[in-house]
Amino acid sequence: MTTPATQGDCRLDPDLRVIVSERRQLINLAYRLLGSLTEAEDVVQETYTRWYTLSRQQQEAIESPAAWLTRVAGRICLDLLGSARVRREHYVGEWIPEPVPDRGEWISGWPDGFTTDPADRVTLDESISMAFMVVLESMTPAERVAFILHDVFRYSFAEVAEIVGRTPAACRQLASSARRRMRASRAAATPAARQADTVRKFKEAWEARDIDALVGLLAPDARGIADGGGLVSAVLRPMEGGEHIARYLITIAELAPGLVFLERTVNGQPGLMVEQDGAIVVVMAFDVAGDRIKHLWAVRNPDKLRSWAG
């Protein structure tokens, strides 16, 4: 890729600064569309590659570089979503979106002065919660793109149509269908402080191996999903029922003494990070309803935990 570093000092080129400043928007868009920070980075890299392969004359002819970059990134994501669906259908165990922490930088290969820009962070809000991301996985690629672009990033349906390759009316229908899916799965919002208190009690009960306390914190119909990857074996099927999940967690604690449980923000919500011998082995996200945990997602795939190291 031809990066800004090879184009001279970007601090002296206002036009180049405008182009580079779009990284935050592109990362936020691509992550929500793909559910993978690694793939989002690749999309942004490819988008900039296509920009820098244009001649200077072609670049100057583009009325809105920001809109051009968004269209290109959106189309790349749409293409990737089709192939990702096939890959995830063959994933060993359940596929869980890659979790993101409430800090850090994930963009490499940029010149000094840009690598530590806080604007590179993924914006953490409701549209990035694990519950939200999991529902997105149930949508068709076109639904997901139309919904995210219109409802989250506020692009008009005319603009969405240019990316999806359908009429504005068709894109409106796609977004409406996606919206219905989201509404059907959404529980009543629980205040963040109350969520954090429930997760803290869950952590303490797990540390103490107190199965009765764990059962009390998990909804009777709670659902737990854990993935795997690399040398980490996958849990092939979701765990159903609070008591079943509690017993599984106690077994894990007994088989792996020395686990360290840390409270962390996971996709903008209270969550946990688990370490063993100084290495991060699990990042857990929760869906809390009232004072009970309805859903638990345990990300164990090492490839998805890279952004949590350091």
Side-chain angles (χ1 to χ4, degrees):
M1 171 180 175
T2 304
T3 68
T6 64
Q7 298 286 325
D9 188 345
C10 59
R11 288 170 293 183
L12 302 179
D13 187 340
D15 293 335
L16 190 54
R17 177 171 286 279
V18 170
I19 295 300
V20 174
S21 70
E22 289 301 311
R23 284 178 299 155
R24 177 184 182 181
Q25 177 84 344
L26 297 176
I27 282 285
N28 274 280
L29 173 65
Y31 174 73
R32 285 165 174 79
L33 290 179
L34 300 173
S36 166
L37 197 53
T38 302
E39 291 181 355
E41 289 177 329
D42 291 342
V43 167
V44 174
Q45 191 90 333
E46 175 61 21
T47 300
Y48 276 99
T49 296
R50 296 187 187 185
W51 171 263
Y52 288 112
T53 56
L54 297 176
S55 68
R56 185 66 175 177
Q57 184 177 15
Q58 288 174 316
Q59 291 175 357
E60 291 175 348
I62 295 173
E63 183 177 347
S64 172
W68 186 93
L69 291 168
T70 298
R71 282 197 300 272
V72 171
R75 287 168 182 162
I76 295 172
C77 288
L78 187 59
D79 290 340
L80 285 174
L81 280 170
S83 59
R85 184 176 292 273
V86 173
R87 291 198 310 275
R88 290 165 191 174
E89 285 174 354
H90 294 86
Y91 192 86
V92 178
E94 296 285 325
W95 193 89
I96 305 174
E98 182 178 345
V100 293
D102 189 18
R103 51 129 179 96
E105 305 301 331
W106 304 293
I107 297 178
S108 58
W110 298 95
D112 291 343
F114 286 89
T115 52
T116 57
D117 186 347
D120 289 339
R121 299 174 184 170
V122 170
T123 303
L124 301 176
D125 58 26
E126 184 188 21
S127 72
I128 208 173
S129 71
M130 189 61 75
F132 188 97
M133 298 295 293
V134 168
V135 177
L136 289 176
E137 288 295 319
S138 69
M139 299 178 186
T140 68
E143 282 178 335
R144 187 166 181 166
V145 173
F147 175 72
I148 290 295
L149 282 169
H150 180 266
D151 284 45
V152 177
F153 288 89
R154 301 304 178 187
Y155 285 93
S156 70
F157 284 118
E159 293 170 310
V160 175
E162 291 186 36
I163 295 172
V164 179
R166 304 193 188 188
T167 65
C171 290
R172 187 184 297 275
Q173 289 297 319
L174 288 168
S176 178
S177 174
R179 211 173 292 125
R180 286 194 296 271
R181 290 177 188 253
M182 195 61 69
R183 281 198 300 266
S185 66
R186 187 172 293 174
T190 301
R194 195 169 175 183
Q195 292 182 49
D197 183 58
T198 299
V199 171
R200 185 174 299 112
K201 290 177 180 176
F202 175 90
K203 166 185 171 289
E204 293 168 350
W206 195 5
E207 287 175 323
R209 303 181 191 179
D210 186 339
I211 190 167
D212 291 333
L214 282 174
V215 171
L217 289 164
L218 291 158
D221 59 348
R223 198 166 195 255
I225 296 176
D227 72 352
L231 299 177
V232 179
S233 60
V235 178
L236 298 181
R237 290 180 296 277
M239 294 171 284
E240 306 286 352
E243 185 171 350
H244 180 198
I245 295 171
R247 292 188 182 283
Y248 175 82
L249 293 171
I250 295 298
T251 299
I252 291 295
E254 291 174 344
L255 292 176
L259 293 177
V260 177
F261 304 89
L262 303 167
E263 294 177 48
R264 291 290 185 268
T265 297
V266 181
N267 285 58
Q269 304 287 334
L272 293 179
M273 183 175 77
V274 183
E275 293 183 347
Q276 184 175 34
D277 299 327
I280 300 166
V281 292
V282 181
V283 168
M284 303 183 77
F286 302 88
D287 185 18
V288 179
D291 296 316
R292 295 286 190 96
I293 294 170
K294 291 280 292 182
H295 293 91
L296 181 158
W297 296 277
V299 182
R300 301 158 66 239
N301 186 331
D303 290 339
K304 297 180 184 178
L305 301 179
R306 290 173 182 169
S307 63
W308 292 79

